Amino acid sequence: MSSRLRRAPRRPSGFTLLELLVVLVIIGLLVGYVAPRYFSQVGKSEVKAARAQIKALEDALDQYRLDVGRYPDTEQGLGALNTQPAGEARWQGPYLKKALPDDPWGHPYQYRSPGEHGEADVYSYGTDGQPGGSDAAADIGNW
């Protein structure tokens, strides 16, 4: 007689419900810990982007001033950087390579000349689009 090796009974492959639940709990804990830290960094990057855009607008305004001899008034606004205002013969623009950007929260940048903080103020109202505020809703300007 031939001797046959007995095979061990096969266990079904796959995960048990308990193993899946443990993995889901671990993933949930990791997301709960990491997500708030990640999203707080997103808010900081929007503020940095707004500061960089304000600096670029300020540089364009300085170039406008060199050509025209003064900053555009509040009525002309930042649009004077891309479109020649009526009666400005010394305008050499456009002073921006692209269209006038909105702030990172989708609101237009504010402009005032003469400004309260300098000759020309360029600013954003922050996340809420309203004057004042604190943290991410605080005003961001070139002062």
Side-chain angles (χ1 to χ4, degrees):
M1 298 195 129
S2 70
S3 64
R4 287 182 149 176
L5 294 177
R6 281 191 154 181
R7 290 187 187 177
R10 258 190 162 176
R11 282 183 38 197
S13 60
F15 298 103
T16 65
L17 180 60
L18 182 61
E19 291 170 329
L20 289 174
L21 288 175
V22 169
V23 169
L24 288 175
V25 167
I26 291 171
I27 290 172
L29 290 172
L30 286 173
V31 168
Y33 179 74
V34 173
R37 294 176 188 271
Y38 172 75
F39 287 114
S40 71
Q41 295 301 320
V42 170
K44 289 178 185 177
S45 67
E46 289 172 332
V47 170
K48 287 180 183 178
R51 290 190 192 285
Q53 287 178 330
I54 288 171
K55 176 68 175 136
L57 291 171
E58 191 176 28
D59 291 344
L61 285 165
D62 288 341
Q63 186 63 45
Y64 179 100
R65 182 179 181 204
L66 286 173
D67 290 345
V68 176
R70 61 173 181 78
Y71 289 114
D73 59 33
T74 304
E75 184 178 303
Q76 292 170 326
L78 295 172
L81 297 173
N82 281 341
T83 306
Q84 182 173 3
E88 294 293 350
R90 294 173 34 196
W91 189 84
Q92 300 292 316
Y95 298 96
L96 296 173
K97 293 181 181 181
K98 297 180 180 179
L100 187 64
D102 285 338
D103 69 15
W105 303 280
H107 306 109
Y109 281 103
Q110 305 298 310
Y111 174 75
R112 184 174 35 232
S113 178
E116 293 178 6
H117 303 278
E119 292 182 66
D121 292 346
V122 180
Y123 53 100
S124 165
Y125 287 135
T127 58
D128 62 355
Q130 303 295 320
S134 60
D135 297 325
D139 298 349
I140 304 163
N142 63 337
W143 51 86

